[in-house]
Structures are given as C-alpha cells and as structure tokens.
Amino acid sequence: MHGRRTKQAAVSWAAAYSRAYTYRLQSAEQRRSLSELYNRMEKKPAAKNTKKDGVEGLPGPSISAIPRPKIHFQKIEPSAGSKQQAREPNQQLKDPKAAADEYIAKLPKSKWSGEKTWARFSQLPRESLARLRDIDVNRTLANIRGADKTLAQGERAVATTMTLNRMLEVFEKTKQAGVVPDKYTYQELIAINVDLLNFDYAHEWLDKMVQQGITPTIRPYRTILKGYGATAGMLDNARRFWQEIKTKLAAGQIAADDSSEPMRSIDMPTYTCYIAAEAKAGDFAKVVGVLEEMEQAGITPDITVRNTILDGIVRHRGLDAGLREAELMAESGYELNGYSYAPLLNAAISEQRHDDIRALLAAAAAKNIVPAVHTIRRVPFDPFETLEIMSGLQSSHQVRLYNALIETAMRTNDFGRVLQLIDHLRQRGVAANVVTYTLLLDALNKAGRLEQAKSMFAKVFNGGELKPDAYIYSIMIDACGRQGDVRSMLWFKNDMQRQGLAVSEPIYNSVLSALARWRHGNLQAVMVVADELERAKPAVRPTCRTFSAIFAAAAAQAQTRTLGAGELEFVRSWYRHAGDRYYVAKDSFVYFMALSAFIGARCLPDAMAVFADMLRDYERNRLVADGFVRKPNRMLDLMKLALGQQEFGAALEIWNHWLQLRLPPIPKAAELALFACDQMGQPDMARAIIYGLLTPDASPSAGCVFCPQIVDESVLGLYMAAMIKHGQFDELLPALRLWAGVATKEEPLVPKRQLSESTVSKIVRLLRRSKHPEAPALIGQLLTLVDEHFPGATPI
C-alpha cells in the first residue's frame, strides 16, 4: 500500500513538472529495465548484469556502460516496378563495368557541379575505379574544385577544406585502384591548396610530382606564383619563387604545356603573374626590369600586362600618374579597353575629381565602352546626367548603359527611379532588349507590384516584338509563387513550355516551394510536379531546395490531416533515393524538413532513420546540424514522439547526442530524458545524467557533458521525485548539495538561481507520503540544507 502511494505521489509530481508531455502508460512494460527492453527486442532471456561499471567519482553506472536499446525500424520495400533496392548508396548492386562506362561517358558531356560530381563518384562501386582513366580522374578533380566557370550554370564554388578532403579521397581511392596520376592530377591538387592558401602543401605536392618522375609544366609554378602575388605579405615568397622558376627553367626541369620537351623561356601569362605581384606592391623598378627581360626574350607585353601595370600605378601613385601611363599606352599603340578605364574611373571617383570623371566617361563612350555596374554605382552624378555625358555611345550600346543604371537603382531599392529610366529610354527612342525588361519585371516584383509586372509582361511580349527567355519566366514564376498567386504561376510555367523553353531546376524549385506553402501544403500538387520533374527532357537534376520543398509540403500537410499510404511512400522514396538516384548531398535544411515531415506523420522509425543519417553526416560536416541549433524544438518533438510511442530508448538516444550536436541547453530536453529513465525503471541512468551535467570533470566518453545551465529547478525537482519513486532516498541530499554548489557559484555560464518554497514543500510532501522509516530524519536534514543554501525556500 505504501509503495503504491509513493508511486502515485511521484507520478503526480512528474505530471506537475512535465506539464504538456505527461505520458500515462497503462501497460506493465512501463517499468521494464533497460536490459529487459534490450533482451525483448533481441528475443533473448534476460540476464543479470552484476558487473559494476561507472564513471570514476560518480555513483552508479554511466549511460554508455548500459547496453543501448535497439529499435527495429520498419523495412521499407521499394515500390512496385522499381528496380532500386532500399539500401545505402555505397551498397547498391551495380555492375562495375557498366557503372564505370556510364560515368566515363557522362563526365565530359554533362555540366556537373562539384557537389554532383562528388556524389556521382562516391556512388561508384570499388571495382569500377580500376576502369577509370587518368583523364577521368583529372576531370573529376577539376569539377570538384570548380575549375571550369561554365559548370553549374556559371557558378564557381568557393574552395573549402571539404573540397580539399574530397579531392584527396578521389586521389587516394583511384591510386589504390591502380590509376596512375599524371601531371594534370598533381596540378589540380596544387591549385586547390593555393586556393586555400596552403602554400606549404602546394610545394609538397610539387615535390611529390617530381619524385614520381613527372616533369612539371609551367602551369603549377604559375599557379603558386599567382597565389603568392595575390596574397598580402607574400611578396618575398613570390620573388624567391620567381628566381626558382628561372633556375629550373635554365636546368630544363620545366616542360612545355603541349609536349614533354623542356620549356625554352618563360611565357606571357607567367610574366603577367609576376608583374602583377610587383605592381600590387608598388615596386615599379622591378616591373621595369621584368619588362626589359621580356623585351630581351622577344616577348612584347600585351594589353593585359599594361593594364596590370596601370592598375598598380593608380593604386600607389594616384590618378595623375595613371592618366600619364594611359597616354603612354595610347602612344605606344595600345587600344584602351574597359579594364583600362576601370581603375582610372575608380581613382577619379575616390579623389572626387568630377571633371576627370566626365572626361573619362566621355572617352569611354567614344570607344563604345560601358563601365561595369559596380563602377556606375559609385559615379556621383544623377543617372540622367551620366546618360548625357555618355551620349556618344552608339545606339546598340546605349541600352547597355540604361541597363547598368537600372540595375544600380534596383540595388538601392529605388524603384521609382527605375520607372523614370524606362520612360527616358522610350523618349530617346532606344530599343529596349530582353535584359532591360528582365530588370524592370524584377524591380516590379521586388516592390510587391505583381499585377503591374504581369500587365507589363503581356504588353511587351504578347506583341511578338521580343520573346521572353527562360530567365524572365523564372522571375515571374518565382514572384507569383512567393505572393501566393499559384494560378498565375502555373500559367507562366505552362506558357514557357508552349514556347519550347525547357523548365530548369530553379523554376521547378520555385513551383514546389510555392505549392508547399499553398493551403498549408498541397502535397498532391507537389507529387504531380515532382513526377513531371523526374520525367523532364532534358533531364533536370533535383537539388537540396527540391527536397526541402517536398518535405516541407509533407510537414505542412501532416498538420491538417493524416498522410495517406501513397503520400507517405512518396516522401520515403524521395528521401531514400536522395543520394543513390539524384546524387544530392543533404544539407541542414533538408534534414530539418525531412524530420519535420516524419514527425508530423507520426512515423518514428523513419524519423529516427533521418536522425541516424544526420549523425553520420555530422562526423564529416558539422553544418548539417545548424537547422536544429536554430530551432531545437524540432528535436524536442522527436523526443516527445518517441516517448508517446513508448520507445524510451530512442528518446535517450536523442538525449545522448543533444549536447554533442551543439544544440542549445534546454531544460525541457533534460526533463524528457529523466522521464524516459523513470518509465524504464532506470534511476541509475537518471543519476548519471544529473551528475554528468553538474560535474565539470565528468568523462565526455561516458555520455556526460558538463552543462549546469540545463539543470534548472524543474529538472532538479523531477529528478528528486524520480529518486523518491524508485526508493533511492540516499540520492536526495547529495544531488541537492551538488546543485546548490553549482547554482550559487559565480560562473558566466551558470546564472545564480534560487530554490522556491513550493518545490521544497512538494519534496517534503512526497517524503511524508512514502512512509519510509527514515523519512522524518531525511526531511529534517533536507530542510537544514535548504535553510543553509536557500533561506527563502524553507517552508513555514
């Protein structure tokens, strides 16, 4: 009788402290031990564990010392007619020869980004790597590095440590498979290290190249020299390396780019790199010396060399010296181009010399040169005055100036000025081009004037004078989607297809994102568009944004109704095939939305599978957890879902990784973890959690991470209630002493907290109801300890 009253009192305490997540479990298994749960899953008889294993200095076993419960996830079978197997990408049953032949055939033709190239390479079976040629390895490395600016729709990825690690993995795997690296292989590895300013490693790869008996060409030397010249404080290194190049060239240790024969003399691009380094540093005496060397070698400096020198002169000696140098260039027969006028105009603007600005703009207009947008943006004149100054432009070039001025006004959100420039353009009789109307429509949409943008589109393009391109359609589709005009968005998409234009990946992403927001997530419409994307010709490659939109639609739909079996299988299929079929490396937002979708659908096995995948990726890329760091409530929802389905081991699995994932220290997470320990009948695990959070020298390997700010009064009260419930009365005073010592210690991360009278009263009430023989003495000791550390909390 007494035991039942104690448990009832503790449950009422848990209800008071758990608030929104009180889980009333009626089955007899609610008090099963962790070892019993583990053996039940494994269908083995329970065995007593008499071995004592714990963290030194802490009472009881640690979390890692207790066997972890296993959850049997549902086995998701592939849909009918699908030949894809539901297994990890690297376990795909592919024919090695067919996989290698497909990769070799598509690599030079497809414009793969670095991300997609890495995904496709990592999916190759190990046996396929031996069939790759050195040229295939070199193309793979170049794509991952982003060497070709035409790849990935002209976007060049910024080099990161992850890029380097991927390239090194490609190098090691192919080398182990028997592919012999050549000079181009080493050149890519040298280039990525220069991009990351790892010059020591770049030299090491150059030495390895020589040790392998490969004579380097001038290209890796030029890459390192250019890196030295572009990096502040590396001028001395650039000068030493320049002398090293000349020495090796004289010794015949540098080969020509197009043959294995020794290079006879330094070429123009290498001279340009060194001149740029000296000109940037302002040592023009050295520049003159290099020019004399070029003359002796019979090499005439081109306009690129002279523009490099001009830029250095303007930078160090001002506009007047730059103008004199420009005059000398013109007298020597050099035709000044846009790169010549850019430093002069920027210097005149910086020195506020308005007359020189007007003269330079007029001179550029006479040569039909339109300055870049970033230069036009700095011109201190009214746009219409700039148009008047540059009236010497030919009519075919005037529209480029208008476009630059319109883009400048857009960047300052001056949409009224945009419309004035459009009217001025029409009054002057300048024929607007597609770029002009693209900027205008973009400006109207960004100003929230969608109806006016649609009217402008109909007025300009329905007449037949101009034909809209794919970019204009993408602007209109994205604007309609963002403002919730789904009907117009789908009309523009269909009209684009009627015009014979291919719907690209950004347009599909805009449509899917809009449908995910429309009417709380229209998953059926998303499924139709996703199916169209899969069947598109030419093929469209989904991206992380595609997957995020699909999962966002499922998550929104799950908030209003239960997902059907077909809808749930659709979401599972897209998640399962992200890597092996679509070659997409999931980012933080994809994981966040996928977890939201499965939590909303109440599918714990799928949600835990997403969580396990994120943990695997987190070991390589810590950015995948950023979404949960910003919104940790989603991880709390996963813990609540696990507790609601009586999968307490899953809830503790999430807790064990909470602080390792750098998630914010939320007391609610600790409360959920303690509740799971309570329902599993594991007070030792609850003790390990509390002592681990409050003890600075707790071993992280034992699952104990020092984080005292997460143990607030509510967590402490729940822990003490659980100890009373399970008869662990000896743990009450030590836990309170530890918490009191931490709570009153002046530390920046641990605010000084006070224990309330209400909490103490509830603990005393639970002790009295327990009818334990030592309860009166324990109550007295407890009140003495409270009065010592928290005088205001002593019940009257």
Side-chain angles (χ1 to χ4, degrees):
M1 188 70 178
H2 294 167
R4 182 165 48 189
R5 288 180 179 177
T6 303
K7 292 176 182 178
Q8 289 175 350
V11 169
S12 66
W13 175 272
Y17 275 90
S18 301
R19 286 182 286 273
Y21 54 90
T22 301
Y23 301 98
R24 303 182 182 275
L25 305 177
Q26 304 298 330
S27 65
E29 291 180 343
Q30 62 179 335
R31 281 177 271 282
R32 59 193 172 185
S33 67
L34 187 58
S35 58
E36 289 172 347
L37 176 62
Y38 178 87
N39 290 318
R40 179 180 179 275
M41 290 295 183
E42 293 297 311
K43 296 182 179 180
K44 296 178 181 179
K48 295 183 179 180
N49 182 16
T50 59
K51 181 178 178 180
K52 295 182 178 181
D53 185 10
V55 182
E56 183 178 355
L58 299 182
S62 64
I63 296 176
S64 62
I66 303 175
R68 183 174 297 172
K70 293 187 177 180
I71 299 176
H72 287 189
F73 299 130
Q74 298 175 1
K75 183 179 180 181
I76 303 174
E77 298 295 339
S79 57
S82 174
K83 296 182 180 180
Q84 295 286 345
Q85 298 294 325
R87 56 181 71 198
E88 291 298 321
N90 57 357
Q91 298 294 328
Q92 290 292 318
L93 296 178
K94 297 179 180 178
D95 178 48
K97 182 178 183 304
D101 292 343
E102 179 186 5
Y103 183 81
I104 292 171
K106 290 185 176 181
L107 181 61
K109 298 178 182 178
S110 302
K111 293 183 177 180
W112 292 346
S113 64
E115 198 71 35
K116 184 176 182 181
T117 303
W118 165 251
R120 294 296 294 261
F121 177 84
S122 60
Q123 300 300 322
L124 288 175
R126 183 171 300 178
E127 296 80 5
S128 299
L129 300 180
R131 298 180 178 274
L132 300 182
R133 304 163 298 174
D134 53 1
I135 188 174
D136 304 317
V137 176
N138 298 337
R139 283 173 177 162
T140 301
L141 293 173
N143 283 8
I144 294 175
R145 186 173 69 89
D148 191 347
K149 294 182 180 180
T150 63
L151 297 179
Q153 300 178 348
E155 298 180 1
R156 181 173 180 180
V158 178
T160 62
T161 305
M162 182 183 297
T163 309
L164 174 60
N165 292 336
R166 289 175 174 177
M167 293 177 68
L168 291 175
E169 187 169 343
V170 171
F171 176 81
E172 294 295 338
K173 284 185 175 180
T174 54
K175 187 177 180 181
Q176 292 173 5
V179 182
V180 180
D182 61 4
K183 58 183 179 181
Y184 299 106
T185 311
Y186 286 102
Q187 285 173 187
E188 291 297 333
L189 294 169
I190 291 171
I192 184 63
N193 279 285
V194 171
D195 291 342
L196 296 173
L197 305 182
N198 296 332
F199 293 105
D200 292 338
Y201 291 110
H203 282 283
E204 287 184 13
W205 282 106
L206 188 59
D207 295 339
K208 289 180 182 179
M209 185 178 180
V210 176
Q211 292 170 5
Q212 295 296 324
I214 301 174
T215 303
T217 64
I218 192 62
R219 185 174 299 178
Y221 288 97
R222 187 191 307 142
T223 300
I224 297 175
L225 180 64
K226 184 177 180 180
Y228 279 140
T231 306
M234 289 288 184
L235 180 60
D236 291 338
N237 299 66
R239 288 172 176 170
R240 285 194 296 268
F241 196 64
W242 174 253
Q243 296 300 324
E244 181 180 342
I245 291 175
K246 295 167 72 173
T247 302
K248 290 184 178 296
L249 194 67
Q253 297 177 358
I254 300 179
D257 277 333
D258 53 354
S259 68
S260 58
E261 297 295 326
M263 191 174 182
R264 301 300 179 186
S265 61
I266 299 176
D267 57 359
M268 178 77 74
T270 309
Y271 273 118
T272 304
C273 290
Y274 184 60
I275 289 175
E278 294 291 356
K280 183 179 179 180
D283 194 338
F284 297 103
K286 290 283 181 63
V287 172
V288 173
V290 176
L291 290 176
E292 292 175 352
E293 289 183 19
M294 294 177 66
E295 184 178 356
Q296 294 174 1
I299 300 176
T300 303
D302 58 5
I303 187 62
T304 303
V305 175
R306 297 304 296 266
N307 284 341
T308 302
I309 299 173
L310 175 61
D311 183 73
I313 290 175
V314 171
R315 188 189 304 269
H316 290 279
R317 297 183 177 178
L319 177 61
D320 292 332
L323 292 173
R324 288 194 295 270
E325 178 65 20
E327 292 177 3
L328 291 175
M329 291 170 60
E331 293 174 0
S332 302
Y334 291 96
E335 185 72 22
L336 300 184
N337 56 21
Y339 294 102
S340 308
Y341 284 102
L344 297 173
L345 273 171
N346 287 324
I349 294 170
S350 298
E351 297 179 18
Q352 300 182 3
R353 295 169 58 168
H354 292 188
D355 292 339
D356 290 313
I357 296 173
R358 292 186 177 90
L360 288 169
L361 289 174
K367 297 179 181 294
N368 289 317
I369 296 173
V370 178
V373 175
H374 61 83
T375 302
I376 289 291
R377 190 168 64 247
R378 297 184 61 216
V379 171
F381 304 142
D382 185 87
F384 302 103
E385 183 178 354
T386 303
L387 287 168
E388 189 64 30
I389 295 171
M390 301 192 71
S391 58
L393 284 168
Q394 294 181 1
S395 57
S396 59
H397 294 276
Q398 286 182 3
V399 68
R400 291 174 52 208
L401 179 59
Y402 275 102
N403 293 342
L405 293 170
I406 291 171
E407 186 173 352
T408 300
M410 282 184 57
R411 293 191 178 188
T412 58
N413 295 326
D414 192 352
F415 301 112
R417 181 56 56 88
V418 171
L419 299 179
Q420 292 176 4
L421 287 168
I422 292 293
D423 292 338
H424 191 271
L425 176 144
R426 291 173 176 170
Q427 294 172 6
R428 295 279 293 268
V430 178
N433 57 16
V434 175
V435 176
T436 310
Y437 289 109
T438 301
L439 294 170
L440 175 59
L441 292 173
D442 195 19
L444 290 173
N445 289 325
K446 288 180 177 178
R449 300 162 71 172
L450 178 60
E451 294 302 323
Q452 188 174 352
K454 291 193 291 187
S455 301
M456 178 68 68
F457 182 93
K459 181 179 180 181
V460 173
F461 297 111
N462 288 353
E465 298 179 2
L466 292 174
K467 287 188 176 182
D469 58 8
Y471 187 66
I472 285 184
Y473 276 112
S474 69
I475 289 175
M476 297 304 300
I477 289 171
D478 186 66
C480 292
R482 290 182 183 277
Q483 298 196 28
D485 191 353
V486 175
R487 185 182 299 274
S488 298
M489 176 189 71
L490 296 177
W491 183 90
F492 279 111
K493 174 179 169 294
N494 295 333
D495 187 64
M496 177 183 182
Q497 293 172 318
R498 285 193 295 269
Q499 298 294 333
L501 298 174
V503 182
S504 61
E505 162 262 319
I507 295 177
Y508 275 116
N509 289 342
S510 297
V511 173
L512 289 170
S513 299
L515 293 175
R517 297 188 298 267
W518 184 46
R519 297 179 180 177
H520 303 289
N522 195 322
L523 185 56
Q524 292 292 333
V526 166
M527 292 170 66
V528 173
V529 176
D531 181 68
E532 179 185 327
L533 181 149
E534 287 187 299
R535 295 183 288 103
K537 299 293 181 183
V540 177
R541 182 181 72 91
T543 63
C544 285
R545 188 185 173 195
T546 313
F547 286 87
S548 299
I550 291 173
F551 299 144
Q557 192 80 83
Q559 293 178 359
T560 58
R561 64 171 177 83
T562 303
L563 299 185
E567 294 172 332
L568 191 55
E569 177 58 28
F570 166 79
V571 177
R572 285 171 175 164
S573 176
W574 272 84
Y575 180 83
R576 182 173 62 234
H577 297 306
D580 60 353
R581 182 186 296 175
Y582 305 114
Y583 305 102
V584 172
K586 305 180 192 72
D587 62 5
S588 172
F589 200 62
V590 171
Y591 279 120
F592 185 86
M593 296 313 302
L595 200 60
S596 301
F598 288 125
I599 290 175
R602 312 295 294 175
C603 295
L604 179 62
D606 297 308
M608 290 301 295
V610 174
F611 179 71
D613 289 344
M614 187 197 69
L615 290 179
R616 266 196 307 272
D617 284 351
Y618 182 77
E619 296 176 359
R620 300 188 298 266
N621 178 19
R622 304 221 162 178
L623 297 177
V624 297
D626 281 355
F628 302 99
V629 172
R630 292 191 295 269
K631 296 182 178 180
N633 285 339
R634 185 61 66 240
M635 204 65 74
L636 284 176
D637 293 339
L638 181 58
M639 292 184 71
K640 293 176 184 179
L641 177 62
L643 292 175
Q645 298 188 10
Q646 302 185 25
E647 294 291 354
F648 307 113
L652 289 176
E653 178 74 13
I654 300 166
W655 164 254
N656 288 342
H657 294 90
W658 186 278
L659 297 177
Q660 283 86 345
L661 290 172
R662 298 178 295 129
L663 300 181
I666 299 179
K668 192 77 70 178
E671 292 181 23
L672 291 172
L674 292 175
F675 183 80
C677 295
D678 168 64
Q679 294 299 320
M680 295 172 69
Q682 287 292 328
D684 290 340
M685 291 187 67
R687 184 189 307 112
I689 290 174
I690 291 296
Y691 276 80
L693 292 172
L694 297 178
T695 308
D697 55 350
S699 173
S701 61
C704 304
V705 179
F706 178 64
C707 188
Q709 62 266 36
I710 204 172
V711 185
D712 61 3
E713 182 182 5
S714 177
V715 175
L716 176 68
L718 184 59
Y719 171 73
M720 297 183 75
M723 292 298 104
I724 295 174
K725 173 182 176 180
H726 294 283
Q728 304 291 324
F729 297 96
D730 294 340
E731 295 298 326
L732 298 181
L733 296 180
L736 183 57
R737 286 193 189 95
L738 180 62
W739 189 82
V742 173
T744 57
K745 187 177 180 180
E746 296 296 336
E747 292 187 11
L749 295 177
V750 185
K752 188 173 182 179
R753 296 186 291 264
Q754 290 293 331
L755 195 63
S756 66
E757 180 181 349
S758 141
T759 300
V760 178
S761 298
K762 290 178 182 179
I763 295 173
V764 171
R765 194 178 304 120
L766 289 174
L767 285 170
R768 285 174 177 170
R769 290 178 182 176
S770 68
K771 303 299 183 180
H772 191 270
E774 299 180 2
L778 189 59
I779 292 174
Q781 296 174 10
L782 177 66
L783 293 178
T784 302
L785 183 61
V786 170
D787 188 61
E788 178 183 354
H789 292 282
F790 308 102
T794 304
I796 299 176

